[in-house]
Amino acid sequence: MNSTVGKAQTTANISYTVSFPDAQAHYADIEMHISGLKQNNLDLKMPVWTPGSYLVREFAKNIEGFSANINGKTVASPKINKNTWRISSKGVSSVTIKYRVYAFEISVRTSFVDASHGFLSTSGIFIYPANMLHSPSTITIKPYKDWSKVSTSLEMVNNDPFVRHSPNYDILFDSPIEVGNQDVFGFDASGVKYEICMYGGGNYDKERLIKDVHKIVDQEAAVYGENPNRHYVFIVHNHLRGGGGLEHLSSTVLGASRDAFGTEKGYQSFLGLVAHEHFHLWNVKRLRPIVLGPFDYDNENYTTNLWIAEGFTEYYQEIIVRRTNLYTPENYLDQIAVEFNTLENLPGKDVQTVAESSFDAWIKAYRPNENSNNTTISYYNKGAIIGMMLDLEIINDSKGKYSLDNVMRYMYTEYYKNKKRGYTDAEFKKGFEMFAGKKLDDFYKNYVNGLTPIDYNKYLGYAGYKITDELANSNDATLGIATATTAAKKVIVTAVTRGTAGYIDGININDELTAIDGNPITDASTMLNDKKPGDKLAISLIRDGLPVNLTVTLLRNTRVKYKIVPVDNATPAQLAVRKKWLSL
């Protein structure tokens, strides 16, 4: 629930001016003017997180030089908690606030400013008056030196690209702003103006990108039957090594490697990222779990449904690119097999359900440690697999009349458009059941709220496919550890997998491996040469500066490497499901 619900809402005139006098030192300077005040105290707040990235990031830590001015005089503005400043405003109608934001973290969810550009992740830039999240505001950008462009989904005021309007704070905090000399190009899709804004250069082909992104946009709009935008912006940051994306209501921020567009693998990976983040404009930004909007910007917003919001989006990112024929069917099946292998090789699959993974995103997903693979899974990964399972189940049971597309369109129409609210877990389950034509209590018990191993062949079998394990006949021995070699040629343990030889016999994270059976370890990749499962090793190591000797019994490497292959003699019914599923 929004923290302002049940409190008096005040309307005021709010404007911001953003300048970059010290861009080279990574600062954005903010001047905020508020008029029309009618309260005794004015509390000004900075969000602690940004929607779409489920971690409290404490954006107030980047603020310095906060000051308040009333009628030309500086007034007290004490900080009353970690993200709130209080100003006495009794009898005062207007106030001017100034502060600086240090912005030097490269990611799709955090602000970054240097002499080449300014990226404003708005939830970490703009403070807001408490109980006024509904208020509109105007943002004026004063660019640094020769910066000439602004890219954002916020609408222009009087056709001035450096002056933008936000109807309320939920929209302002969902509308990142890129300022600089980015390369801007685009296209129109069914009346929606699309901009692709490239910062950082790169070996991309504009015409090819326009054509292929356009195809993705059209395929995704077809799932829902409409595109609710008038204007949509892809902000792409191309770095030496980059990745990731963050969805917004009418835009997205993508991280990419500037030279990866030139390879087919790199280009297809980028298209998958485009498909993922753009699909979010429906799934999670509009069709959303009920707790994800209106937002509480002071606290965590918990939901068990990120496996739908993110996992289904991950499923659709690949199937959408397949529908454009930018992936071959074989390429698509290989992508799905990667999802299988990722999940099945995680010991955490036997510990954490996908619903728990969603709820605990705030404390686990964005804060992994050396034991995370042993105790957690990704709601992206297992959610994508569940999306595939339900898609095939619905296609099969309806004899091709329905698919997961029908569920997504129905839920979007029923909850976002008609009821104008988010959905509950039970409501989405009913949506699945409507098109599956049966109750899904057991499915939820086993796969959403339970740890039942997935029967891949059952669901793939609907489409005449099965899995084979390319490692099934392997008898390789393993310690079940990962290592890193330092510049000083020390071999350091970085991970230990649950249930493996190293885990059972006591190898620890941060151990320095020095010898096996008395032979010094110089190359971690060859230390098990000629060893077999059942062999006992005398391992010498250094732990916290002290020597330790262990006897470790090697075990068989149980990792799987699944591949999806056609079954022999697929039936007409299986081929019909395959055709529907893979758009053949």
Side-chain angles (χ1 to χ4, degrees):
M1 177 179 291
N2 191 309
S3 60
T4 65
V5 172
K7 299 179 181 178
Q9 298 259 323
T10 303
T11 299
N13 296 315
I14 304 171
S15 64
Y16 298 90
T17 299
V18 184
S19 58
F20 307 90
D22 291 319
Q24 82 290 344
H26 320 299
Y27 281 97
D29 284 32
I30 317 298
E31 181 173 316
M32 178 187 189
H33 186 72
I34 312 171
S35 61
L37 295 173
K38 298 178 181 179
Q39 65 256 51
N40 291 337
N41 288 304
L42 174 65
D43 285 353
L44 295 165
K45 305 180 75 67
M46 172 66 85
V48 304
W49 69 291
T50 189
S53 182
Y54 306 102
L55 177 68
V56 171
R57 296 183 183 275
E58 311 292 18
F59 293 123
K61 68 186 178 183
N62 296 318
I63 288 183
E64 62 182 78
F66 188 100
S67 67
N69 187 290
I70 296 175
N71 297 325
K73 297 182 179 180
T74 300
V75 298
S77 53
K79 204 172 187 182
I80 61 172
N81 60 35
K82 66 180 182 179
N83 67 320
T84 309
W85 294 259
R86 176 165 290 173
I87 299 166
S88 177
S89 56
K90 185 176 181 179
V92 172
S93 62
S94 64
V95 61
T96 298
I97 309 297
K98 293 183 180 180
Y99 59 95
R100 312 187 85 195
V101 179
Y102 181 70
F104 195 56
E105 183 178 350
I106 295 177
S107 83
V108 296
R109 63 191 71 86
T110 50
S111 298
F112 183 91
V113 175
D114 68 6
S116 67
H117 79 130
F119 171 62
L120 307 180
S121 182
T122 45
S123 57
I125 293 290
F126 297 109
I127 61 173
Y128 68 94
N131 306 323
M132 295 189 201
L133 285 172
H134 65 294
S135 297
S137 59
T138 301
I139 301 92
T140 299
I141 305 292
K142 292 186 175 180
Y144 177 73
K145 291 188 177 179
D146 63 345
W147 293 355
S148 61
K149 298 175 184 177
V150 174
S151 298
T152 179
S153 58
L154 294 172
E155 295 299 324
M156 289 187 284
V157 177
N158 297 325
N159 291 318
D160 185 342
F162 292 95
V163 184
R164 302 287 177 149
H165 173 76
S166 176
N168 57 57
Y169 279 96
D170 283 333
I171 289 178
L172 178 58
F173 294 150
D174 218 4
S175 304
I177 302 170
E178 175 74 18
V179 191
N181 294 308
Q182 59 273 19
D183 186 13
V184 181
F185 50 97
F187 57 90
D188 288 339
S190 301
V192 181
K193 180 183 178 182
Y194 276 81
E195 290 183 36
I196 301 173
C197 308
M198 291 284 199
Y199 163 78
N203 59 352
Y204 53 88
D205 180 329
K206 290 185 190 180
E207 294 308 314
R208 186 183 184 191
L209 269 177
I210 288 172
K211 180 181 68 174
D212 292 343
V213 174
H214 196 163
K215 289 178 182 178
I216 290 169
V217 165
D218 288 345
Q219 285 290 340
E220 293 187 339
V223 173
Y224 293 94
E226 69 169 21
N227 189 325
N229 290 292
R230 291 187 301 170
H231 176 208
Y232 189 93
V233 182
F234 291 99
I235 298 173
V236 186
H237 293 153
N238 295 315
H239 296 287
L240 177 62
R241 286 179 294 275
L246 186 64
E247 70 275 4
H248 296 282
L249 193 68
S250 299
S251 62
T252 186
V253 184
L254 309 178
S257 298
R258 66 172 62 94
D259 294 327
F261 299 94
T263 67
E264 203 59 26
K265 181 179 179 181
Y267 183 67
Q268 287 191 347
S269 176
F270 180 75
L271 292 181
L273 180 61
V274 166
H276 182 106
E277 301 304 338
H278 184 261
F279 194 82
H280 271 312
L281 79 86
W282 295 275
N283 189 30
V284 89
K285 298 315 304 182
R286 290 171 175 85
L287 170 62
R288 56 176 174 76
I290 198 164
V291 301
L292 295 185
F295 293 109
D296 178 351
Y297 294 103
D298 284 338
N299 301 288
E300 295 88 344
N301 293 224
Y302 295 103
T303 174
T304 57
N305 291 128
L306 295 180
W307 61 275
I308 296 173
E310 288 290 356
F312 280 22
T313 302
E314 182 155 323
Y315 171 64
Y316 268 101
Q317 79 179 52
E318 305 298 345
I319 202 73
I320 286 293
V321 179
R322 164 63 209 131
R323 290 175 187 177
T324 65
N325 288 316
L326 296 170
Y327 283 173
T328 64
E330 293 74 21
N331 182 283
Y332 170 71
L333 293 173
D334 288 343
Q335 297 288 340
I336 290 293
V338 169
E339 299 282 8
F340 295 174
N341 295 329
T342 298
L343 179 66
E344 293 305 315
N345 289 316
L346 279 177
K349 74 182 185 302
D350 301 318
V351 177
Q352 186 184 54
T353 71
V354 74
E356 290 170 342
S357 175
S358 300
F359 194 86
D360 282 345
W362 295 91
I363 59 172
K364 294 186 178 183
Y366 287 92
R367 289 175 174 152
N369 62 25
E370 67 281 350
N371 200 42
S372 292
N373 285 348
N374 289 330
T375 60
T376 66
I377 60 168
S378 165
Y379 48 78
Y380 286 84
N381 169 236
K382 191 169 183 180
I385 294 170
I386 291 175
M388 181 209 73
M389 294 160 67
L390 286 168
D391 200 7
L392 286 166
E393 186 84 51
I394 292 168
I395 294 171
N396 181 72
D397 290 356
S398 69
K399 294 181 169 53
K401 183 178 181 181
Y402 302 122
S403 71
L404 188 59
D405 288 10
N406 297 94
V407 179
M408 303 305 286
R409 183 185 289 201
Y410 167 77
M411 294 297 292
Y412 172 80
T413 301
E414 182 68 12
Y415 290 94
Y416 170 68
K417 296 184 69 177
N418 296 341
K419 289 186 168 64
K420 301 186 186 305
R421 65 168 175 84
Y423 57 81
T424 66
D425 185 70
E427 287 167 343
F428 218 114
K429 179 173 175 287
K430 287 182 179 178
F432 292 134
E433 292 171 341
M434 179 183 302
F435 292 96
K438 61 185 179 185
K439 290 287 187 180
L440 292 173
D441 293 0
D442 287 343
F443 186 95
Y444 264 69
K445 178 182 177 182
N446 292 334
Y447 301 125
V448 177
N449 301 311
L451 300 170
T452 301
I454 294 171
D455 186 349
Y456 295 103
N457 284 332
K458 172 185 174 181
Y459 294 93
L460 291 172
Y462 292 144
Y465 290 106
K466 64 180 181 180
I467 56 171
T468 61
D469 181 5
E470 296 181 345
L471 300 178
N473 297 320
S474 168
N475 196 39
D476 290 343
T478 182
L479 284 169
I481 65 173
T483 62
T485 303
T486 69
K489 305 300 183 182
K490 295 180 178 180
V491 177
I492 307 298
V493 177
T494 57
V496 182
T497 301
R498 175 173 292 180
T500 62
Y503 184 95
I504 294 168
D505 290 328
I507 296 177
N508 289 355
I509 304 293
N510 297 325
D511 285 348
E512 178 193 343
L513 304 182
T514 57
I516 291 180
D517 293 337
N519 300 311
I521 297 173
T522 57
D523 185 350
S525 66
T526 62
M527 63 186 181
L528 295 185
N529 280 357
D530 302 322
K531 303 297 183 182
K532 296 181 174 55
D535 288 351
K536 292 184 182 296
L537 305 181
I539 294 185
S540 300
L541 55 88
I542 296 174
R543 180 180 296 164
D544 190 30
L546 300 175
V548 175
N549 296 307
L550 299 175
T551 299
V552 179
T553 302
L554 290 177
L555 299 176
R556 177 182 174 271
N557 192 336
T558 58
R559 290 183 64 83
V560 300
K561 186 178 180 182
Y562 289 140
K563 185 173 180 61
I564 300 173
V565 298
V567 300
D568 295 330
N569 304 314
T571 67
Q574 288 175 315
L575 293 175
V577 171
R578 183 186 299 181
K579 181 178 180 181
K580 173 83 170 180
W581 180 41
L582 298 181
S583 304
L584 299 175

